[in-house]
Amino acid sequence: MDLNLLSTEETATLRNLLSHATHIVICAHKSPDGDAIGSSLAWMHYLQQIGKTDIKVCMPDATPDFLHWLPGHNCVIRYDRRPKEVEKAFREADLVCCLDFNQNSRVDAMQEVLEHSKALRLLVDHHLEPDTDNALTVSHPEMSSTSEIVFRLISQLGGYGEMTRQCAACIYCGMMTDTGGFTYNSSRPEIFYIIGQLLAKGIDKDEIYNRVFHNYSSNALRLRAHIILNKMKVIEELHASYYTVTKEEMTKFHFIKGDMEGLVNVPQQIKGLKLSISLREDTEKPCLVLVSLRSCNGFHCQPMAARFFNGGGHADASGGRLHCTIEEAEQIVIKAILYYKEELR
């Protein structure tokens, strides 16, 4: 099966970038999810495989606890905890690999550091409409995940034979989490061929699934139950649902990062639902509401995210943020749903 993504010229450019790079930084978006951290660590393992020794994986902030087991995670440098070290890494870098984001703003507080770097830049991503300046852009929104793209690049560069089990585990985790355990955006046969190739490296897919999806505390389950029971609002005639989560509620249920991962997908189990929206107050910054959108059954939420929530993403999985109170954010959600009422009916 042909997994190649790059033209002959692009392949030569990528080989040239890697061969001449001595100090490499790998970075991904704020609040890195399984695909962001999985693809980044997989790329780090591959670069180590080809002999690169000075590789810094820099993230804007923390990954959820249930991803800390990923091989190499202990090497990650967080900008919110060690800004000087991250700044030094970007300053000394001659190649910056940007994974799983399409705009510099997605790295949040780390944006200025990224933009001031004089290093050549490689972008590997599957979000729509990349808007960054790169020596090479590998952008494929039709792919299931950035991790899938990373596997394809490693394969095209001839690196599959020596791929380690650790690298394969990172790729599988990224592909699995960005497809909800291969329940959506995963119908292409190439995906399952790649899974077979990863299994051949000795990964335990069941163990990876359990580490990611069966890793909640009792407090997290109670918080999720509280949101679905008491906070979820369903607009039946418009096939839409939304919920709000306040800082007080998160404190009450001892919230830690990752406790609500994937919860925005749950309302999609309602028969005929087309749109699910999550509004969550930021735990640190006042008047900042984090927005997640999911869509299905023929409606696409990405335009709504861009128009109403200062965001974007995939056609059916997008995000954004609002600088307002949670009450004001709820009114914006209602306005957005009514704006698209004809498409939602």
Side-chain angles (χ1 to χ4, degrees):
M1 183 172 287
D2 183 13
L3 299 179
N4 291 347
L5 294 176
L6 304 181
S7 67
T8 302
E9 182 181 352
E10 289 170 331
T11 304
T13 298
L14 180 55
R15 289 187 185 280
N16 186 59
L17 286 173
L18 297 181
S19 65
H20 287 88
T22 303
H23 308 291
I24 302 173
V25 167
I26 302 171
C27 63
H29 58 73
K30 176 181 169 59
S31 300
D33 55 11
D35 189 28
I37 191 66
S39 60
S40 295
L41 292 176
W43 193 239
M44 177 194 75
H45 287 299
Y46 170 68
L47 293 178
Q48 291 173 339
Q49 176 184 316
I50 62 173
K52 301 301 175 180
T53 57
D54 185 4
I55 309 165
K56 302 290 194 309
V57 180
C58 300
M59 297 291 154
D61 55 3
T63 54
D65 285 1
F66 58 78
L67 295 171
H68 288 186
W69 62 270
L70 281 166
H73 186 275
N74 60 315
C75 298
V76 174
I77 309 171
R78 285 173 48 183
Y79 181 69
D80 63 336
R81 291 285 182 86
R82 296 147 69 183
K84 296 299 182 185
E85 194 171 342
V86 171
E87 290 166 6
K88 182 174 184 290
F90 275 93
R91 188 167 57 248
E92 295 178 350
D94 44 34
L95 177 65
V96 172
C97 303
C98 301
L99 273 62
D100 202 39
F101 66 95
N102 58 348
Q103 296 177 334
N104 293 340
S105 60
R106 292 292 310 281
V107 301
D108 201 56
M110 206 167 71
Q111 179 176 352
E112 186 175 349
V113 180
L114 170 63
E115 291 179 341
H116 284 178
S117 173
K118 292 180 170 40
L120 294 173
R121 197 185 300 184
L122 165 68
L123 176 73
V124 181
D125 183 47
H126 73 135
H127 293 88
L128 296 168
E129 300 173 356
D131 184 23
T132 56
D133 184 19
N134 312 296
L136 177 64
T137 297
V138 185
S139 173
H140 288 272
E142 75 279 8
M143 297 287 115
S144 68
S145 55
T146 298
S147 294
E148 178 186 347
I149 299 174
V150 165
F151 179 88
R152 287 168 173 257
L153 292 181
I154 293 172
S155 178
Q156 187 165 359
L157 292 171
Y160 174 75
E162 296 182 9
M163 179 184 286
T164 63
R165 180 174 57 83
Q166 291 77 12
C167 181
C170 293
I171 291 172
Y172 184 85
C173 181
M175 292 178 64
M176 179 189 73
T177 53
D178 240 31
T179 58
F182 303 103
T183 60
Y184 53 83
N185 197 27
S186 54
S187 297
R188 290 177 295 104
E190 294 90 343
I191 292 172
F192 295 90
Y193 175 80
I194 292 171
I195 292 172
Q197 295 291 94
L198 296 172
L199 289 170
K201 292 298 179 179
I203 66 168
D204 186 333
K205 71 176 185 63
D206 297 336
E207 180 185 13
I208 294 173
Y209 184 93
N210 286 330
R211 283 185 164 187
V212 172
F213 293 116
H214 295 167
N215 200 21
Y216 292 116
S217 67
S218 58
N219 285 320
L221 287 182
R222 290 188 174 95
L223 172 60
R224 296 164 77 91
H226 162 70
I227 294 168
I228 294 299
L229 176 62
N230 301 312
K231 304 301 296 290
M232 183 179 70
K233 298 182 180 180
V234 181
I235 307 173
E236 300 281 0
E237 65 274 17
L238 295 182
H239 307 101
S241 170
Y242 71 91
Y243 60 79
T244 63
V245 187
T246 67
K247 283 186 282 190
E248 290 74 18
E249 288 169 317
M250 288 184 280
T251 299
K252 177 181 177 181
F253 290 96
H254 307 284
F255 171 83
I256 62 171
K257 194 166 190 177
D259 279 355
M260 288 188 289
E261 187 79 19
L263 184 60
V264 68
N265 297 312
V266 172
Q268 291 185 301
Q269 297 176 30
I270 299 172
K271 184 177 180 179
L273 198 85
K274 294 184 177 182
L275 174 68
S276 173
I277 301 178
S278 164
L279 299 174
R280 176 170 71 84
E281 286 187 313
D282 188 82
T283 55
E284 298 177 1
K285 299 177 182 178
C287 288
L288 175 60
V289 177
L290 308 177
V291 186
S292 293
L293 305 93
R294 297 294 184 271
S295 57
C296 57
N297 291 322
F299 179 76
H300 301 300
C301 63
Q302 193 272 340
M304 177 185 283
R307 180 181 291 272
F308 286 95
F309 303 113
N310 307 303
H314 305 297
D316 293 319
S318 295
R321 54 181 55 202
L322 295 169
H323 296 277
C324 62
T325 66
I326 194 75
E327 293 80 11
E328 290 168 333
E330 184 173 2
Q331 293 306 307
I332 294 172
V333 164
I334 294 171
K335 181 180 178 181
I337 291 172
L338 292 175
Y339 183 88
Y340 286 96
K341 64 182 180 181
E342 296 305 321
E343 292 93 328
L344 288 166
R345 286 191 193 277

